[in-house]
Amino acid sequence: MGTGDRDPRYDPLFEPVKIGPVTAPNRFYQVPHCAGMGYRRPQMMAAMRGMKAEGGWGVVCTEYCSIHPSSDDMPYPHASLWDDSDVDKLRLMTDAVHEHGALAGVELWYGGRSTVNLYTRQPAFGPGSLPNSSKYHMPLQSRAMTLDDIKTLKGWYQAAAERALAANFDIVYVYANHEYLLHDFLSSKINSRQDGYGGSAKNRVRLIREVIEETKATVGHRCAVAVRYSIPRDVENDEDELIKMFGMIAELPDLWDITINDYSWEMGSSRFVKEASNQVAVAKIKSMTTKPVVSVGRFTSPDTMVSQINSGVQDFIGAARPSIADPFIPQKIDQGRIDDIRECIGCNVCYAHDSLGSPLRCTQNPTMGEEWRRGWHADQVPERHADETVLVIGAGPAGLEAACTLGQRGYQVTLAEAQTSLGGRVTAESRLPGFAEWARVRDWRMGQIAKLPNVDVYPDNRLNADSVLELEHQHIVVATGARWRDDGVGRWRETAFEGSHEPTVFSIERVLKGDMPKNDTSKCHVIIYDDDHYYMGAAIALKLRDENIAVTLITPEGRVGSWSYFTQEQYGSMIALLEAGVKVVTNQGLTRWNGSAATIQCVFSEVECTVAADYLIPITAKLPNDDLWLELQSKQDEFHEKGGLSMQLIGDGSTPGLIAAAVYSGHKAARELGLTAADKDKAGRDTTIVSFTP
Ligand code: ADP
Ligand code: SF4
């Protein structure tokens, strides 16, 4: 790596760092993160991790890796080291990582009361008999460990550590946070044992101490032993038990991987948590140990990264999300390609998908998760299949991504956009309170397009079918997006509500454009009816509260923004709504609007009541803007007579959904132009490894 173009300011990021018996080639450290691949999709996982190593990350770790069948997180495909077939699977990953000179780390994990063990049906061990803490709230408790069970557990750790050696890992983790078993032993609230593993802080830290010492004895001749450990945000409290216990084992491992003891903060959406938000807490820990420290902070700015190192906050730049959004950050910094860094927007769509048990994906990086299945490289695209021209209509995330990737492939591209500004929905949504970082989706693509002389951009150009045909391009990509419905049709209602044509009903687009009258906002009361269940309901409510408008948010679900639970936004949104004084009404569907009051119905009892308001904003579903597409379809003959070769509809205009899906569809359309239909639709299931441990 290295072209000599690196700004010397960033040299500290490229220093090798010793971690016990191994040496990381630089300070870029991909901490363990879930990927929805694990034991079930080992080739996919190996290729994805290998891509990060190729992009310059000096350390690349697995996701949580179960040490024993009694820690089975079905239906989530974590990694596992239960037996030798797992060793073979994980060797695919270590080989892929080593090929690029990086170190491979494995995060040995025992879930305890958080695991349901649906596949193995084994009891999960716990410090006591405690209710299952998974999101299912299973009617199930952990088994209070006897002293013999503790011995058995430690044996499982060492058997897994030996397998980690066999799989050629360089760093072996003891995973002691995120409310898994080892963390539960630390907690005075959870651990109520009366024996030598409970009671005093010294006793509660004993199990971790022993597991660290034994893991060092098992693998320490060849591997570093890292400990993942969480601390509170408020580290000034010297009485905090986690800080005190840290002091007792501060010199034991070879590396500390520090997280914050609040997942909604550690994994916070950019709406609520910004870059480098943990540094005060991490600096405190760093001052308490001589061992190297790594921590995350959604670092995407090389200046912030280098300041972490220069000011001694930490020794490594830990990253999960930034390495997902751009696996090539280290290489780009090294090559002086700072403008090319594709910055994470903090939307947590990555996390949402592995929380659903599906492979990882990313709003910014459409290649994420497709490295093996489709063979997509994160920083390279295939050259154009022919000297042909492409017209892309619409410059939202789908159209921008398509134009950018087609341009990088070398096609002559014209991008036409109806509005004066580019970005489509991303431009509109990034103006909502807290959403500024989402504009990175537009800005990165516009920055890349600006470097491509073969891409011409025409804003303020609304095309109709005749103008499209007149332009005589060989390929047409229609990316005209979608608009919010204002008739209430969604999940709870299949038909429009009575009164949906009243002039006091406003669509999201009109609210975002500022069409809603703003006479005396202090007297204005708006009802938001949210049957969408993602971020938009809460975001619009908070925007209106910023304008001093009273808001009642009504939803047929039991909680506001139920899908945003998966993106870790639900909690933050709810706090923000309550603090802003938004009135929340749950389990109620909308039936009527008479211009000044909504009739709502309990989703269980069907009992109706009315809520008076000045305006109603339904947020339920979208309608694709596919008029142009349908007209073009009807003029296919004319298109082909004029030399046209292909036409496709992408993004929200085809299937309204996540921004991530629009970017992906733009990328797929562009990357696959010129491929045969069979090549485009490879199933791509992991098949080489036939043995199956769940
Ligand atoms: P997506 O998420 O699929 O990219 P968006 O709704 O964000 O969709 O963006 C679609 C873009 O297409 C918008 O910026 C819109 O102004 C633009 N657009 C819609 N119809 C036309 C048209 N006929 N000609 C040019 N641009 C259009
Ligand atoms: Fe960042 Fe969103 Fe990509 Fe996750 S999905 S890495 S949060 S841009």
Side-chain angles (χ1 to χ4, degrees), residues 11-46:
D11 286 353
L13 297 172
F14 292 87
E15 290 159 353
V17 182
K18 211 168 147 16
I19 315 173
V22 299
T23 301
N26 59 37
R27 296 185 189 268
F28 294 95
Y29 192 117
Q30 182 243 279
V31 296
H33 71 74
C34 304
M37 297 174 186
Y39 65 78
R40 204 180 289 155
R41 303 171 183 117
Q43 288 153 308
M44 207 177 200
M45 203 257 259

Side-chain angles (χ1 to χ4, degrees), residues 555-594:
T555 176
E557 280 284 282
R559 35 167 83 189
V560 174
S562 53
W563 201 79
S564 65
Y565 169 81
F566 294 106
T567 56
Q568 280 285 327
E569 283 167 282
Q570 210 272 334
Y571 192 74
S573 276
M574 204 55 220
I575 291 174
L577 290 172
L578 294 174
E579 282 176 358
V582 173
K583 185 168 181 219
V584 171
V585 179
T586 54
N587 297 320
Q588 298 283 334
L590 174 68
T591 58
R592 278 188 298 283
W593 172 250
N594 68 7

Side-chain angles (χ1 to χ4, degrees), residues 11 58 66 70 87 108 172 190 234 252 277 380 395 403 463 466 480 581 585 643:
D11 286 353
S66 173
S70 62
V87 172
L108 297 187
V172 176
I190 298 167
D234 172 19
L252 269 192
S277 53
Q380 291 163 20
L463 299 186
D466 291 337
T480 45
V585 179

Side-chain angles (χ1 to χ4, degrees), residues 321-322 324-325 344-351 361-364:
R321 288 172 289 176
I324 293 168
C344 165
I345 69 166
C347 62
N348 288 351
V349 158
C350 47
Y351 176 72
R361 64 210 57 199
C362 171
T363 301
Q364 277 284 57

Side-chain angles (χ1 to χ4, degrees), residues 393-399 416-419 423-426 461-463 479-482 628 650-653 662:
I393 308 156
E417 165 56 49
Q419 300 181 53
R425 63 181 284 192
V426 160
N461 257 283
R462 179 173 291 279
L463 299 186
T480 45
L628 175 61
I650 63 168
D652 286 348

